[in-house]
Structure formats: C-alpha cells, structure tokens
Amino acid sequence: MSLTTKDKDTVKAFWTKVSGKAEDIGSDALSRMLLVYPQTKTYFAHWKDLSPSSAPVKKHGRTVMSGIGDAVSKIDNLTSGLLNLSELHAFTLRVDPANFKILSHNLLVVFAIMFPSYFTPEVHVAMDKFLSAVALALSEKYR
Amino acid sequence: MVEWTEQERTIITTIFSNLDYEDVGPKALARCLIVYPWTQRYFASFGNLYNAEAIKTNPNIAAHGTKVLHGLDRAVKNLDNIKATYAELSVLHSEKLHVDPDNFKLLADCLTIVIAAKLGSAFTPETQAAFQKFLAVVVSALGRQYH
C-alpha cells in the first residue's frame, strides 16, 4: 500500500494547512494516547507529570510533530530519510512498533477534532497511509 | 464481565442520545469504504462505489450506515450484557454475511473519527476512552460466535 502521487500531494497540502498548529496537535495526540491507551505510559516513567498539557507532554508533542514534518519533506523516500530516527527508536528507545499505530490513530482523531471540514475521507485515507509508511520507515532498523 | 464506571455510562448514553443517526451513520460507513477500500467487498450489490464521491452520495450506503448505527442502540441499553445481546448478530455476521471480524474494528475507528469531528473539543480524552472502550466491547461481542 505505497503512497501514490495523489496521496503525497494530499499529504503535503494537508500539512501546509495544519502545521501551524503542530504543537497543539502533537500535545493533544500524546495526551489522548497516554489516557486512552494506558500501556503507553510505560515508556514515560521518567516524566514527573503525565497529565494532558503537562510540560513534558507538550515538549514531547513538539518533538514528535517536528519528526512528522520532517517526514513530509522526505515523503519521496521515507526509508532513507528517516534512517537516523529509525536507529534511535530501534536501539535507544526500543519502542514496540505496535505503538506507532496507536499514536497514528490518535493523530487522526485530533485532525478530525481540529479540522473537521478539511479532514475529509479522502484526506483521511492519504494521512492514514502516510502515517503507516512513516511507522514502517521507523521500524526499518529494528531487526 | 465488563465493568463500567458511572462516568463511562453517562458518557456513552449521552453521546447516543444526542446522536444524529441519519448523518453520522452514513458518514461513518462511507468513510470506512473510502479509507479501507477492501471493505467494499461486502457491498457489491449496493450500486456505484467507483470513487469517493459516488460512495458519499450512494443512497444504499447511507441507508445501511443508519441501520448499522441503530444496531448499536441495543448495546447502549444493555451495557452490562453486550456479549449475550449480540450473540445472534454475531452468528448472522459469521454464517450469513461472512464478514471478516477484523473489519468491525475498521468501522469502529471510522465511527470514532466521525464522532470526534462532530463533537470537536467536547470529545475529550476521557470521552474518547469511554467511547472506544464501548466500541471495543461491541467489536469483541460481534466476533464472539465465529468458529
């Protein structure tokens, strides 16, 4: 299920519309993930505060979203473009790749909440495919 | 046995009592068919599904979306016994409709997205958790009688 030219154009156009709110999106998606999927909290035991809109959650939301923005700019070759991030997730963070799907779902929910008229089914499918492709690229170095 | 807090019960019943079935049902099913196109396999007799626009305006899909959404009403009324409530429906989906139970989660995710778009910031993380828990129980019950 690779990204068609149409998918890439849709993703880039949607990102242009929403990247101004990247911080809010990242923070909200992470907050939801930690609450709705409590098992994900196991990766953040070193944070003092895991509540929504806490400082570490906001900061990390920013980090994640800048990674995604980077992925948008490297959409034509995610595997090689995200190699360093893949090594980070594989060797240092060792996040179980199943969690990429969970975060992706929460990003889609936040898109729907914040941009109900932009986040049409056509945009939804392109973003879902894109986030799956990003997850795949991030898993590249795992084994 | 699924345990529901009072807060979860309130969240779920409130969502459904304020629901515009004729709007949300069609939107959720259409979104599912567009985002996960392989689900169209179950709707070969429904007419034109050739592109997103056709799916969104297809009256058969719209009617079916409303029907499916109303199908959730019995679960809302029987939160403490969803498994038994849906035993027959599970058999139907398995024996007669031959629906791959993995598809239930896909529709559930699309329904979540449509409700999120409708409720906006009112779809708080706590609301999302309760609603997704409800859908997970429904999905499990519908898959229960497959063999």
Side-chain angles (χ1 to χ4, degrees), chain B residues 12-71:
Chain B
I12 294 160
T13 51
T14 305
I15 289 178
F16 279 86
S17 60
N18 294 329
L19 203 51
D20 183 352
Y21 287 78
E22 271 91 31
D23 180 51
V24 171
K27 280 191 175 138
L29 184 57
R31 192 168 281 252
C32 186
L33 295 174
I34 293 167
V35 178
Y36 309 106
W38 53 93
T39 57
Q40 293 169 27
R41 76 190 303 283
Y42 302 108
F43 301 97
S45 62
F46 276 53
N48 186 357
L49 300 177
Y50 296 139
N51 51 47
E53 211 36 54
I55 293 171
K56 284 192 251 188
T57 53
N58 184 314
N60 295 323
I61 293 294
H64 197 69
T66 308
K67 179 176 173 185
V68 166
L69 195 55
H70 273 296

Side-chain angles (χ1 to χ4, degrees), chain A residues 73-134:
Chain A
S73 71
K74 294 174 173 159
I75 201 168
D76 287 317
N77 201 338
L78 289 169
T79 312
S80 59
L82 299 181
L83 218 45
N84 290 335
L85 267 178
S86 180
E87 282 177 0
L88 176 75
H89 284 76
F91 305 132
T92 310
L93 303 175
R94 286 179 288 202
V95 175
D96 189 315
N99 294 288
F100 299 149
K101 224 174 185 236
I102 293 176
L103 180 57
S104 298
H105 169 74
N106 285 291
L107 281 165
L108 297 175
V109 169
V110 173
F111 291 147
I113 290 173
M114 290 178 67
F115 308 97
S117 43
Y118 288 150
F119 197 61
T120 60
E122 293 89 328
V123 170
H124 179 166
V125 60
M127 288 308 294
D128 191 25
K129 284 177 77 175
F130 170 66
L131 291 173
S132 304
V134 170

Side-chain angles (χ1 to χ4, degrees), chain B residues 45-102:
Chain B
S45 62
F46 276 53
N48 186 357
L49 300 177
Y50 296 139
N51 51 47
E53 211 36 54
I55 293 171
K56 284 192 251 188
T57 53
N58 184 314
N60 295 323
I61 293 294
H64 197 69
T66 308
K67 179 176 173 185
V68 166
L69 195 55
H70 273 296
L72 293 178
D73 291 341
R74 276 196 305 150
V76 179
K77 293 197 179 72
N78 292 288
L79 283 175
D80 291 313
N81 210 351
I82 293 179
K83 194 162 71 178
T85 303
Y86 279 153
E88 245 182 78
L89 259 181
S90 179
V91 171
L92 176 83
H93 282 77
S94 166
E95 313 275 285
K96 185 153 178 276
L97 304 176
H98 306 292
V99 176
D100 182 340
D102 284 349

